[in-house]
Amino acid sequence: MNSDYSQKCGIPEFQHSITGKWKITIIWALSIKTLRFGELHRQITGITQSTLTKQLRELETDQIITRYVYRQVPPKVEYSLTNKGKTLIPILKELNNWSIKELS
Amino acid sequence: MNSDYSQKCGIPEFQHSITGKWKITIIWALSIKTLRFGELHRQITGITQSTLTKQLRELETDQIITRYVYRQVPPKVEYSLTNKGKTLIPILKELNNWSIKELS
DNA sequence: CGGTATCCGCGGGGATACTG
DNA sequence: CAGTATCCCCGCGGATACCG
């Protein structure tokens, strides 16, 4: 164990931010543009409404995304990446590159 | 969803490599030097023998580490990072940096 | 439309005992 | 020393039903 890591390792925190069956997919979708709940639900095939809600709440708690409610009927809710969330994108791209490189 | 990601995203694969309560810790320990089973067990406080074994087997399957058995009594088994495993280190350092930066 | 509430099944990880 | 074998618990995610 060397100094940097043992004294304060942030990796578990990072992992928490993206751990969840659909979080990466959600983050990626929102990296393109802000989306409504229903739009996310349609884009992410296979996820249930309740699970989508749970994952969104967790991402919100971790301040990766924001939730904006339009006070109207019928309801309209928009999700978008926070600045913190946006800093994840280049990291995710690197992880993706690593996988592509190491799988060959 | 843009091209790179939707066509072939390697992030789930990456996640699999490091998903497990102790894998990052194990990888980090082995990044310093090759270690015997008992040495790992002593360095990683809180992990049980059986769990350590399981995590090591998974890392081995994913070709992140190698296992070398000395044919002797008492047994001696050494674990070390593969080349693939070593390429993870710079990535992990970046993840660590991200966390440190974004937690402030 | 965008949720909640509830129940349930599965798998990861821990505890413990035993072993070549 | 370095495991294996069992058993168990808990939390995540899915299914389903209902709601303002």
Side-chain angles (χ1 to χ4, degrees):
Chain A
M1 293 287 182
N2 83 5
S3 50
D4 286 320
Y5 185 87
S6 58
Q7 287 178 10
K8 175 54 188 170
C9 173
I11 297 178
E13 189 100 13
F14 170 85
Q15 274 187 295
H16 185 257
S17 300
I18 61 162
T19 293
K21 190 170 175 184
W22 307 94
K23 283 188 188 169
I24 303 269
T25 310
I26 293 170
I27 293 168
W28 201 265
L30 294 180
S31 78
I32 311 299
K33 66 190 190 88
T34 294
L35 291 172
R36 295 181 61 174
F37 184 85
E39 294 174 324
L40 271 171
H41 194 197
R42 260 170 272 122
Q43 283 200 17
I44 305 174
T45 53
I47 196 172
T48 60
Q49 251 186 0
S50 60
T51 300
L52 177 55
T53 301
K54 284 179 203 168
Q55 303 263 309
L56 288 169
R57 293 292 174 277
E58 289 180 23
L59 287 167
E60 202 188 350
T61 301
D62 289 341
Q63 307 189 64
I64 306 299
I65 66 173
T66 51
R67 177 171 181 268
Y68 185 75
V69 182
Y70 291 82
R71 295 238 152 260
Q72 62 178 54
V73 180
K76 174 178 173 180
V77 180
E78 282 187 347
Y79 293 92
S80 39
L81 290 186
T82 59
N83 286 331
K84 181 178 173 185
K86 287 174 186 166
T87 65
L88 272 173
I89 303 301
I91 303 265
L92 294 184
K93 285 187 175 166
E94 288 189 60
L95 300 188
N96 196 26
N97 289 337
W98 178 86
S99 297
I100 290 165
K101 203 170 161 191
E102 295 303 324
L103 288 195
S104 54
Chain B
M1 294 285 185
N2 82 5
S3 51
D4 286 321
Y5 185 88
S6 59
Q7 288 178 8
K8 176 53 189 169
C9 174
I11 297 178
E13 189 100 13
F14 170 86
Q15 274 186 295
H16 184 256
S17 301
I18 61 162
T19 294
K21 191 169 173 183
W22 306 95
K23 283 187 187 169
I24 303 268
T25 311
I26 292 170
I27 292 168
W28 202 266
L30 294 180
S31 78
I32 311 299
K33 66 190 192 89
T34 294
L35 291 172
R36 297 181 59 175
F37 183 85
E39 294 174 322
L40 271 171
H41 192 31
R42 260 170 271 122
Q43 283 199 18
I44 305 175
T45 53
I47 196 173
T48 60
Q49 252 185 359
S50 59
T51 300
L52 178 55
T53 301
K54 285 180 204 167
Q55 303 264 309
L56 288 170
R57 292 293 174 276
E58 289 181 23
L59 287 166
E60 202 188 349
T61 301
D62 289 340
Q63 307 188 64
I64 306 299
I65 66 172
T66 52
R67 178 171 179 268
Y68 185 75
V69 182
Y70 290 83
R71 295 240 154 260
Q72 61 178 52
V73 179
K76 173 178 174 180
V77 179
E78 282 187 345
Y79 292 92
S80 39
L81 290 186
T82 59
N83 287 331
K84 181 177 172 186
K86 287 174 186 166
T87 64
L88 272 173
I89 303 301
I91 303 266
L92 295 184
K93 286 187 175 166
E94 287 189 59
L95 299 189
N96 196 27
N97 290 337
W98 178 85
S99 297
I100 291 166
K101 202 172 163 191
E102 295 302 325
L103 289 195
S104 54

